[in-house]
Amino acid sequence: MPEHQARIRVGGPGAAPDVVGLHPGGFSAARVEDLYAEAERLGYDLALSTLTRTRDEKQAVETLLDSRAEALILLGAEAPAARLASLDRQLPVVVVVRRISTAQLNVVRASDDEGLGQVVDHLVELGHRSIAFIDGGKGTIASDRRRGYRTAMRRRRLASQIRILSGDHTEEAGTRAAHQLLAEDGLPSAVVASNDRCAVGLLSALIRSGVDVPGAVSVVGYDDSVLSRLACFDLTTVSQNARQQAHHAVAAAVERLDGERSAPREIVLAPHLIVRGTTAAAP
Protein backbone atom coordinates (compact mmCIF):
# COMPACT_ATOMS: atom_id res chain seq x y z
CA MET A 1 0.00 0.00 0.00
CA PRO A 2 1.29 3.51 -0.71
CA GLU A 3 2.52 5.68 2.15
CA HIS A 4 -0.35 8.15 1.67
CA GLN A 5 -2.96 5.37 1.95
CA ALA A 6 -6.17 6.48 3.67
CA ARG A 7 -9.59 5.12 4.33
CA ILE A 8 -12.42 6.07 2.03
CA ARG A 9 -15.72 6.10 3.86
CA VAL A 10 -19.04 5.96 2.08
CA GLY A 11 -22.36 7.06 3.58
CA GLY A 12 -25.93 7.89 2.76
CA PRO A 13 -27.48 9.93 -0.01
CA GLY A 14 -23.94 10.98 0.04
CA ALA A 15 -20.37 9.62 0.36
CA ALA A 16 -17.24 10.28 2.37
CA PRO A 17 -13.42 9.57 1.82
CA ASP A 18 -9.68 9.58 4.08
CA VAL A 19 -11.13 9.37 1.15
CA VAL A 20 -14.58 8.65 2.95
CA GLY A 21 -17.80 7.98 0.98
CA LEU A 22 -21.50 8.32 1.82
CA HIS A 23 -24.13 6.06 0.27
CA PRO A 24 -27.87 6.84 0.12
CA GLY A 25 -30.44 4.11 0.54
CA GLY A 26 -31.76 4.72 -2.96
CA PHE A 27 -28.54 3.79 -4.76
CA SER A 28 -27.67 0.24 -5.73
CA ALA A 29 -25.00 -1.92 -4.13
CA ALA A 30 -23.39 -2.15 -7.57
CA ARG A 31 -22.61 1.58 -7.49
CA VAL A 32 -20.91 1.17 -4.11
CA GLU A 33 -18.97 -1.81 -5.45
CA ASP A 34 -17.67 0.42 -8.26
CA LEU A 35 -16.44 2.93 -5.66
CA TYR A 36 -14.77 0.18 -3.64
CA ALA A 37 -13.02 -1.17 -6.72
CA GLU A 38 -11.75 2.26 -7.79
CA ALA A 39 -10.56 3.15 -4.28
CA GLU A 40 -8.76 -0.18 -3.96
CA ARG A 41 -7.11 0.33 -7.34
CA LEU A 42 -5.61 3.57 -6.03
CA GLY A 43 -4.54 1.97 -2.74
CA TYR A 44 -7.30 3.39 -0.55
CA ASP A 45 -9.80 1.79 1.81
CA LEU A 46 -13.49 2.65 1.65
CA ALA A 47 -15.83 2.74 4.65
CA LEU A 48 -19.60 2.91 4.21
CA SER A 49 -22.14 4.95 6.15
CA THR A 50 -25.67 4.46 4.89
CA LEU A 51 -29.19 5.77 5.39
CA THR A 52 -31.97 3.74 6.97
CA ARG A 53 -35.55 4.49 7.94
CA THR A 54 -34.32 5.75 11.31
CA ARG A 55 -30.96 7.19 10.23
CA ASP A 56 -30.89 10.29 8.06
CA GLU A 57 -28.21 11.89 5.91
CA LYS A 58 -27.01 14.19 8.67
CA GLN A 59 -26.38 11.27 11.01
CA ALA A 60 -24.63 9.29 8.29
CA VAL A 61 -22.26 12.19 7.57
CA GLU A 62 -21.62 12.87 11.26
CA THR A 63 -20.62 9.23 11.73
CA LEU A 64 -17.99 9.64 9.04
CA LEU A 65 -16.74 12.92 10.46
CA ASP A 66 -16.52 11.39 13.96
CA SER A 67 -14.37 8.61 12.55
CA ARG A 68 -11.89 11.24 11.29
CA ALA A 69 -12.62 10.89 7.62
CA GLU A 70 -10.21 12.80 5.40
CA ALA A 71 -12.67 13.38 2.57
CA LEU A 72 -16.32 12.73 1.68
CA ILE A 73 -17.86 11.22 -1.46
CA LEU A 74 -21.59 11.97 -1.31
CA LEU A 75 -23.99 9.97 -3.50
CA GLY A 76 -27.07 11.98 -4.33
CA ALA A 77 -26.71 14.23 -1.30
CA GLU A 78 -29.94 16.00 -0.35
CA ALA A 79 -28.41 18.59 1.99
CA PRO A 80 -28.62 22.26 0.92
CA ALA A 81 -25.73 23.48 -1.20
CA ALA A 82 -24.65 25.86 1.59
CA ARG A 83 -24.31 22.92 3.98
CA LEU A 84 -22.25 20.97 1.46
CA ALA A 85 -20.02 24.02 0.89
CA SER A 86 -19.54 24.31 4.66
CA LEU A 87 -18.47 20.66 4.80
CA ASP A 88 -16.07 21.27 1.91
CA ARG A 89 -14.32 23.94 3.98
CA GLN A 90 -13.61 21.28 6.61
CA LEU A 91 -12.45 18.50 4.28
CA PRO A 92 -12.61 17.67 0.56
CA VAL A 93 -16.15 16.87 -0.62
CA VAL A 94 -17.13 15.22 -3.90
CA VAL A 95 -20.83 15.14 -4.79
CA VAL A 96 -21.89 12.34 -7.14
CA VAL A 97 -25.09 12.21 -9.26
CA ARG A 98 -26.57 15.51 -8.05
CA ARG A 99 -26.14 18.82 -9.86
CA ILE A 100 -24.94 21.68 -7.61
CA SER A 101 -25.33 25.10 -9.22
CA THR A 102 -25.16 27.44 -6.22
CA ALA A 103 -21.84 26.42 -4.65
CA GLN A 104 -18.29 25.74 -5.81
CA LEU A 105 -17.90 22.00 -5.20
CA ASN A 106 -16.41 18.98 -6.92
CA VAL A 107 -19.32 17.33 -8.74
CA VAL A 108 -19.45 14.17 -10.86
CA ARG A 109 -22.75 13.47 -12.59
CA ALA A 110 -24.42 12.44 -15.82
CA SER A 111 -26.48 14.82 -17.94
CA ASP A 112 -30.05 13.87 -17.00
CA ASP A 113 -31.44 16.31 -19.57
CA GLU A 114 -29.62 14.44 -22.30
CA GLY A 115 -30.69 11.06 -20.90
CA LEU A 116 -34.38 11.95 -20.97
CA GLY A 117 -33.90 13.41 -24.43
CA GLN A 118 -32.60 10.05 -25.63
CA VAL A 119 -35.62 8.30 -24.09
CA VAL A 120 -38.15 10.60 -25.74
CA ASP A 121 -36.34 10.42 -29.08
CA HIS A 122 -36.36 6.62 -28.93
CA LEU A 123 -40.08 6.50 -28.20
CA VAL A 124 -40.99 9.08 -30.84
CA GLU A 125 -38.99 7.16 -33.43
CA LEU A 126 -41.08 4.10 -32.51
CA GLY A 127 -44.20 6.12 -33.32
CA HIS A 128 -45.24 7.12 -29.80
CA ARG A 129 -46.89 10.49 -29.21
CA SER A 130 -48.80 9.96 -25.95
CA ILE A 131 -45.83 9.71 -23.60
CA ALA A 132 -46.43 10.17 -19.86
CA PHE A 133 -43.78 10.70 -17.18
CA ILE A 134 -43.84 9.56 -13.53
CA ASP A 135 -42.16 12.23 -11.44
CA GLY A 136 -39.39 11.47 -8.97
CA GLY A 137 -40.65 13.85 -6.27
CA LYS A 138 -38.49 16.41 -4.51
CA GLY A 139 -34.81 17.08 -4.99
CA THR A 140 -32.43 18.22 -7.70
CA ILE A 141 -32.15 14.82 -9.40
CA ALA A 142 -35.93 14.50 -9.79
CA SER A 143 -36.17 18.12 -10.93
CA ASP A 144 -33.52 17.65 -13.62
CA ARG A 145 -35.22 14.55 -14.99
CA ARG A 146 -38.62 16.23 -14.97
CA ARG A 147 -37.18 19.20 -16.84
CA GLY A 148 -35.43 16.89 -19.29
CA TYR A 149 -38.73 15.20 -20.12
CA ARG A 150 -40.52 18.50 -20.67
CA THR A 151 -37.71 19.91 -22.80
CA ALA A 152 -37.52 16.81 -24.98
CA MET A 153 -41.28 16.68 -25.51
CA ARG A 154 -41.32 20.33 -26.58
CA ARG A 155 -38.36 19.77 -28.87
CA ARG A 156 -40.28 16.96 -30.58
CA ARG A 157 -43.33 19.28 -30.89
CA LEU A 158 -45.32 17.24 -28.38
CA ALA A 159 -45.93 19.98 -25.80
CA SER A 160 -49.67 19.25 -25.86
CA GLN A 161 -48.91 15.62 -24.89
CA ILE A 162 -46.86 16.47 -21.80
CA ARG A 163 -48.28 14.65 -18.79
CA ILE A 164 -46.51 14.33 -15.44
CA LEU A 165 -47.86 11.94 -12.82
CA SER A 166 -47.02 12.48 -9.15
CA GLY A 167 -44.48 9.97 -7.84
CA ASP A 168 -41.13 9.29 -6.23
CA HIS A 169 -38.24 6.87 -6.62
CA THR A 170 -39.96 3.77 -5.16
CA GLU A 171 -41.78 0.75 -6.59
CA GLU A 172 -44.90 1.88 -4.73
CA ALA A 173 -44.96 5.12 -6.73
CA GLY A 174 -44.94 3.15 -9.96
CA THR A 175 -47.77 0.95 -8.72
CA ARG A 176 -49.86 4.00 -7.75
CA ALA A 177 -49.26 5.58 -11.17
CA ALA A 178 -50.35 2.36 -12.88
CA HIS A 179 -53.59 2.25 -10.89
CA GLN A 180 -54.24 5.90 -11.75
CA LEU A 181 -53.74 5.28 -15.46
CA LEU A 182 -55.82 2.08 -15.44
CA ALA A 183 -58.73 3.94 -13.87
CA GLU A 184 -58.91 6.30 -16.87
CA ASP A 185 -60.54 5.81 -20.25
CA GLY A 186 -57.36 5.14 -22.18
CA LEU A 187 -53.71 4.41 -21.48
CA PRO A 188 -50.80 6.42 -22.92
CA SER A 189 -48.81 4.42 -25.43
CA ALA A 190 -45.62 4.92 -23.40
CA VAL A 191 -44.71 5.76 -19.80
CA VAL A 192 -41.29 6.93 -18.63
CA ALA A 193 -40.42 6.59 -14.93
CA SER A 194 -37.92 8.79 -13.11
CA ASN A 195 -35.91 5.72 -12.07
CA ASP A 196 -35.84 1.95 -12.47
CA ARG A 197 -37.49 1.11 -9.15
CA CYS A 198 -40.53 3.22 -10.05
CA ALA A 199 -40.58 1.69 -13.53
CA VAL A 200 -40.56 -1.83 -12.09
CA GLY A 201 -43.55 -1.01 -9.86
CA LEU A 202 -45.39 0.36 -12.88
CA LEU A 203 -44.44 -2.58 -15.09
CA SER A 204 -45.51 -5.18 -12.52
CA ALA A 205 -48.88 -3.51 -11.89
CA LEU A 206 -49.64 -3.19 -15.61
CA ILE A 207 -48.81 -6.83 -16.30
CA ARG A 208 -50.88 -8.02 -13.33
CA SER A 209 -53.81 -6.07 -14.77
CA GLY A 210 -53.47 -7.82 -18.12
CA VAL A 211 -51.83 -4.96 -20.03
CA ASP A 212 -49.46 -6.09 -22.75
CA VAL A 213 -46.02 -4.53 -22.25
CA PRO A 214 -44.67 -3.45 -24.69
CA GLY A 215 -47.49 -4.35 -27.10
CA ALA A 216 -50.02 -1.91 -25.63
CA VAL A 217 -47.78 0.29 -23.46
CA SER A 218 -44.01 0.79 -23.60
CA VAL A 219 -42.22 1.37 -20.28
CA VAL A 220 -38.83 3.03 -19.72
CA GLY A 221 -36.82 3.45 -16.51
CA TYR A 222 -33.66 5.33 -15.64
CA ASP A 223 -30.34 4.30 -13.99
CA ASP A 224 -29.63 0.86 -15.54
CA SER A 225 -29.83 -0.75 -12.10
CA VAL A 226 -29.26 -4.46 -11.49
CA LEU A 227 -33.05 -4.73 -11.20
CA SER A 228 -33.54 -3.50 -14.76
CA ARG A 229 -31.27 -6.23 -16.12
CA LEU A 230 -33.21 -9.14 -14.61
CA ALA A 231 -34.79 -11.32 -17.28
CA CYS A 232 -38.22 -10.99 -15.67
CA PHE A 233 -38.14 -7.20 -16.23
CA ASP A 234 -35.73 -6.71 -19.18
CA LEU A 235 -36.29 -2.98 -18.76
CA THR A 236 -35.35 -0.34 -21.30
CA THR A 237 -33.47 2.28 -19.30
CA VAL A 238 -30.68 4.87 -19.28
CA SER A 239 -27.16 4.19 -18.02
CA GLN A 240 -25.38 6.98 -16.15
CA ASN A 241 -21.95 5.38 -16.62
CA ALA A 242 -21.71 4.47 -12.94
CA ARG A 243 -18.20 3.04 -13.27
CA GLN A 244 -16.91 6.21 -14.86
CA GLN A 245 -18.61 8.25 -12.15
CA ALA A 246 -16.85 6.15 -9.51
CA HIS A 247 -13.52 6.60 -11.29
CA HIS A 248 -13.83 10.38 -11.48
CA ALA A 249 -15.24 10.74 -7.94
CA VAL A 250 -12.44 8.82 -6.25
CA ALA A 251 -9.82 10.51 -8.45
CA ALA A 252 -11.17 13.96 -7.52
CA ALA A 253 -11.06 13.13 -3.80
CA VAL A 254 -7.51 11.77 -4.03
CA GLU A 255 -6.35 14.82 -6.01
CA ARG A 256 -7.70 17.08 -3.28
CA LEU A 257 -6.03 15.01 -0.56
CA ASP A 258 -2.71 15.05 -2.41
CA GLY A 259 -2.96 18.79 -3.04
CA GLU A 260 -2.90 18.30 -6.80
CA ARG A 261 -6.10 20.29 -7.39
CA SER A 262 -7.56 23.07 -5.25
CA ALA A 263 -10.19 24.57 -7.56
CA PRO A 264 -13.42 22.55 -7.63
CA ARG A 265 -14.73 21.31 -10.96
CA GLU A 266 -17.84 19.67 -12.39
CA ILE A 267 -17.50 16.56 -14.53
CA VAL A 268 -20.61 15.83 -16.60
CA LEU A 269 -20.71 12.45 -18.31
CA ALA A 270 -22.91 11.54 -21.26
CA PRO A 271 -25.60 8.97 -20.41
CA HIS A 272 -26.71 6.39 -22.94
CA LEU A 273 -29.98 4.63 -23.64
CA ILE A 274 -30.09 0.86 -23.22
CA VAL A 275 -32.93 -0.67 -25.25
CA ARG A 276 -34.33 -3.90 -23.85
CA GLY A 277 -37.68 -5.63 -24.00
CA THR A 278 -40.15 -3.11 -22.57
CA THR A 279 -40.29 -0.76 -25.56
CA ALA A 280 -41.74 -1.43 -29.00
CA ALA A 281 -43.55 0.33 -31.81
CA ALA A 282 -46.60 2.31 -30.76
CA PRO A 283 -49.87 0.35 -31.11
Side-chain angles (χ1 to χ4, degrees):
M1 293 293 183
E3 292 182 359
H4 66 275
Q5 176 178 1
R7 293 178 301 169
I8 299 182
R9 308 181 185 279
V10 178
D18 250 19
V19 192
V20 178
L22 176 63
H23 170 62
F27 286 87
S28 69
R31 186 180 288 271
V32 177
E33 289 175 6
D34 290 336
L35 285 166
Y36 270 107
E38 187 62 24
E40 184 176 356
R41 187 182 71 81
L42 294 177
Y44 283 77
D45 291 330
L46 185 71
L48 178 67
S49 181
T50 134
L51 303 184
T52 67
R53 296 184 183 217
T54 59
R55 191 167 185 265
D56 62 15
E57 179 177 312
K58 181 179 179 182
Q59 290 172 300
V61 171
E62 287 178 348
T63 297
L64 297 170
L65 296 177
D66 289 344
S67 61
R68 300 179 184 275
E70 292 184 13
L72 300 174
I73 295 176
L74 308 175
L75 298 182
E78 296 177 351
R83 167 61 178 158
L84 297 176
S86 176
L87 281 172
D88 191 59
R89 289 191 288 271
Q90 300 176 50
L91 74 174
V93 169
V94 181
V95 177
V96 184
V97 179
R98 173 183 165 187
R99 174 179 54 83
I100 305 286
S101 59
T102 57
Q104 291 296 307
L105 291 166
N106 281 289
V107 172
V108 179
R109 65 180 181 88
S111 173
D112 284 336
D113 283 9
E114 182 178 344
L116 263 298
Q118 291 178 23
V119 170
V120 171
D121 286 344
H122 168 64
L123 293 171
V124 170
E125 287 162 10
L126 288 172
H128 294 275
R129 297 297 180 269
S130 177
I131 304 169
F133 179 76
I134 306 175
D135 193 25
K138 299 179 180 178
T140 305
I141 296 170
S143 174
D144 284 355
R145 294 180 185 180
R146 182 168 59 247
R147 185 183 65 248
Y149 161 75
R150 282 199 181 105
T151 300
M153 290 290 282
R154 289 176 182 133
R155 176 171 52 78
R156 299 301 303 232
R157 298 185 178 180
L158 294 173
S160 64
Q161 299 288 339
I162 291 174
R163 183 175 181 195
I164 299 175
L165 304 170
S166 176
D168 55 45
H169 287 151
T170 65
E171 291 93 335
E172 292 77 13
T175 301
R176 289 193 301 270
H179 291 161
Q180 179 181 343
L181 292 170
L182 289 165
E184 299 173 356
D185 290 338
L187 291 169
S189 67
V191 183
V192 182
S194 191
N195 78 339
D196 287 343
R197 289 178 60 192
C198 181
V200 163
L202 169 75
L203 179 64
S204 299
L206 290 176
I207 291 173
R208 283 196 302 269
S209 297
V211 176
D212 180 8
V213 178
V217 179
S218 288
V219 173
V220 184
Y222 202 104
D223 287 338
D224 189 30
S225 64
V226 173
L227 198 63
S228 72
R229 302 170 208 165
L230 296 178
C232 58
F233 298 124
D234 195 30
L235 181 67
T236 295
T237 185
V238 175
S239 169
Q240 298 188 70
N241 291 311
R243 289 186 180 178
Q244 281 296 307
Q245 287 188 17
H247 166 75
H248 287 293
V250 174
V254 170
E255 287 176 358
R256 290 282 302 279
L257 289 172
D258 291 346
E260 295 177 7
R261 181 180 295 276
S262 55
R265 57 176 172 164
E266 180 183 51
I267 297 173
V268 182
L269 302 175
H272 61 276
L273 180 72
I274 298 177
V275 178
R276 296 196 179 105
T278 57
T279 53

